[in-house]
Amino acid sequence: MARRLFSATRALLRAVPSPSPSSSAAAAAAAASLLPLLPCKRRRKLRKKLSSPRVAPIEPEAARRVPELDAVLDREAAFRFLARARSFLASLPPPHRIPLAEAGKLYRELGFPRGRSVSRAAARHPLLFHLPRVDSVPHLALTPLMCSLLEEERRLHDQLLPTRVRAVRKLLMLADHRRIPLAKLHHCRAVLGLPDDFRDRVREFPGDFRVAVDPDGRDVLELARWDPALAVSALERDFVVDERRVRRTFRFAVPHSRSMPLDAEDADRLDAATTFPLVSPYTSGALLRPWTPEAEKYRVGVVHEFLSLTLEKRALIHHIFEFKEELGLTRHMHASLRKQSRAFYLAGTEMNWAVFLRDAYGGDGDLREKDPLVLFNEKLRRYACMTKMDSSEARRS
């Protein structure tokens, strides 16, 4: 009987169409729908997996999820090998290749799952990666097309460098003591849109930055001068343009007992009195008393300003908490951000979730304003999805 049930379950699993890669939440929901069809032992095992922080969504209420923004993270995961492998191989000296046996051990650096074949990951992007043999030894290497695209990316980084320098200056103005370790900036370079060699190029701007060594022996980047013109947050600029929209975005509610007879209009008026004025993220957070509404306003404002400085107006939580000490963040940020659902959207799983600026994205999950580097990355992904046959047909047409 058990054998017949197992075989029937396998047939059902084969019959259910595989979920679209655009929604990991949909895949989890599809797996949960199969629970009643499984035997007890398999059911317990699957239920345990679905409740794991690796799978459980950070937003437990399905009605509050935005599938278009969830799909952004799924797309990023689908192209993780492309992003990491091109960066790693580009850092190698020409001809930018590595023996395949050695590449198979670098699953973290190259962005493919541990235990999987790196050659299969490279074969999904035949226009960008190939496996040449050098002295009968197979290597992982970049194709000539990929090398030309990387050269185009370098020129784009050179053109955008003044904009990136301005963003890093604003980030240093947000930081406590106006300094950040260079290793942290390098780790988050893709989020901030910085070139891979930014650590070496900061010395080209002595009027903006200084490089020092902290007591722990780390190289830190210091702000050379304070610029009052840069100490204006994105929220303050938006407030001048559309005050009503900014007032609707944030809400720091006042807790009150049910015995207080307040209707919705009175409650909104009371909340508005405590919500405004907001606290500028460019003030010193150390001067604020902890666990006060002003301190919470400051921390929420700092996260909002940090996200406005990122390339795609979003960041994984571990990238934000990379600067936890410098930005004065606490471990209770999840609760603070969740309360501001009009300003932020939390996507992903409990173990690895991201924060989006809602106003920066349209209803289709696309950025309203795209940086030139974002447009380049979209072009790179289009090449990554093409086969050699697609490429030859496109040239003929």
Side-chain angles (χ1 to χ4, degrees):
M1 177 66 182
R3 188 175 301 171
R4 287 200 299 272
L5 187 56
F6 270 108
S7 60
T9 303
R10 291 192 192 100
L12 280 169
L13 285 170
R14 285 194 295 268
V16 173
S18 59
S20 168
S22 62
S23 177
S24 56
S33 68
L34 294 174
L35 282 173
L37 307 175
L38 298 175
C40 293
K41 190 173 181 180
R42 294 279 299 276
R43 194 184 309 159
R44 283 197 301 268
K45 190 174 180 180
L46 181 57
R47 187 178 286 121
K48 185 177 180 181
K49 284 186 177 181
L50 292 176
S51 61
S52 166
R54 291 179 179 271
V55 179
I58 189 67
E59 178 51 73
E61 300 179 26
R64 297 182 59 175
R65 295 180 196 147
V66 182
E68 293 80 10
L69 296 182
D70 291 334
V72 173
L73 291 187
D74 293 319
R75 184 186 65 223
E76 185 179 69
F79 290 104
R80 185 178 293 122
F81 174 79
L82 171 65
R84 293 191 185 177
R86 67 165 172 143
S87 179
F88 180 83
L89 292 175
S91 66
L92 301 178
H96 306 297
R97 66 190 180 206
I98 183 174
L100 199 59
E102 188 176 337
K105 303 173 184 177
L106 304 175
Y107 56 92
R108 286 196 184 93
E109 291 80 357
L110 296 178
F112 64 94
R114 184 178 183 180
R116 302 289 179 88
S117 169
V118 64
S119 59
R120 289 187 64 184
R124 287 199 292 266
H125 314 300
L127 296 185
L128 306 179
F129 301 99
H130 67 138
L131 306 174
R133 287 186 171 271
V134 181
D135 296 331
S136 71
V137 177
H139 283 63
L140 174 66
L142 302 176
T143 63
L145 172 62
M146 185 62 158
C147 291
S148 66
L149 289 170
L150 290 179
E151 187 58 37
E152 179 184 344
E153 185 183 29
R154 285 191 206 96
R155 292 194 298 268
L156 192 57
H157 275 303
D158 291 340
Q159 296 171 10
L160 297 172
L161 191 58
T163 306
R164 304 298 185 244
V165 167
R166 181 178 180 275
V168 173
R169 288 177 64 196
K170 288 176 72 71
L171 185 58
L172 288 170
M173 291 168 68
L174 289 175
D176 193 23
H177 305 303
R178 317 301 175 218
R179 52 163 52 187
I180 293 176
L182 273 170
K184 293 188 176 184
L185 288 173
H186 183 73
H187 177 66
C188 299
R189 63 192 183 279
V191 178
L192 298 169
L194 303 177
D196 289 342
D197 59 349
F198 184 76
R199 285 186 295 188
D200 304 323
R201 303 182 69 171
V202 292
R203 291 176 173 82
E204 300 174 10
F205 305 93
D208 300 319
F209 306 120
R210 288 191 301 265
V211 179
V213 180
D214 67 0
D216 297 329
R218 300 177 299 178
D219 289 338
V220 295
L221 190 66
E222 295 181 341
L223 185 70
R225 57 186 177 87
W226 179 274
D227 188 351
L230 293 180
V232 180
S233 68
L235 274 177
E236 291 171 307
R237 291 196 303 271
D238 292 345
F239 194 83
V240 174
V241 177
D242 191 350
E243 176 182 342
R244 186 179 178 185
R245 182 179 63 80
V246 176
R247 285 187 176 276
R248 288 198 311 265
T249 300
F250 289 94
R251 182 177 180 180
F252 293 87
V254 178
H256 57 272
S257 64
R258 293 183 179 180
S259 60
M260 184 180 294
L262 290 177
D263 57 19
E265 185 178 350
D266 291 335
D268 289 342
R269 192 179 296 114
L270 181 62
D271 293 341
T274 56
T275 298
F276 297 96
L278 295 172
V279 179
S280 171
Y282 291 98
T283 57
S284 178
L287 302 178
L288 300 173
R289 288 168 48 196
W291 317 120
T292 59
E294 288 72 23
E296 185 176 3
K297 291 180 192 179
Y298 168 77
R299 290 192 294 268
V300 168
V302 164
V303 173
H304 188 283
E305 185 67 2
F306 175 83
L307 293 175
S308 71
L309 298 175
T310 60
L311 186 65
E312 298 188 34
K313 313 309 176 193
R314 63 179 174 88
L316 292 171
I317 190 60
H318 71 261
H319 284 139
I320 298 175
F321 266 71
E322 187 78 20
F323 305 99
K324 176 184 176 182
E325 298 174 0
E326 290 79 12
L327 301 181
L329 304 179
T330 68
R331 61 180 180 176
H332 301 285
M333 284 310 302
H334 171 257
S336 299
L337 296 175
R338 184 173 165 77
K339 286 190 289 187
Q340 308 302 330
S341 58
R342 295 179 182 176
F344 307 105
Y345 176 68
L346 310 185
T349 64
E350 292 178 0
M351 179 173 286
N352 193 25
W353 49 282
V355 188
F356 288 75
L357 280 185
R358 278 186 181 267
D359 288 344
Y361 285 82
D364 57 353
D366 241 8
L367 278 167
R368 298 184 190 275
E369 298 180 8
K370 295 186 179 181
D371 186 272
L373 193 57
V374 174
L375 296 174
F376 171 82
N377 288 333
E378 289 180 353
K379 181 174 76 170
L380 190 63
R381 286 169 182 157
R382 286 196 295 271
Y383 277 116
C385 295
M386 294 172 65
T387 64
K388 294 181 180 179
M389 186 178 298
D390 295 333
S391 177
S392 59
E393 288 178 358
R395 281 197 298 267
R396 282 199 299 269
S397 60

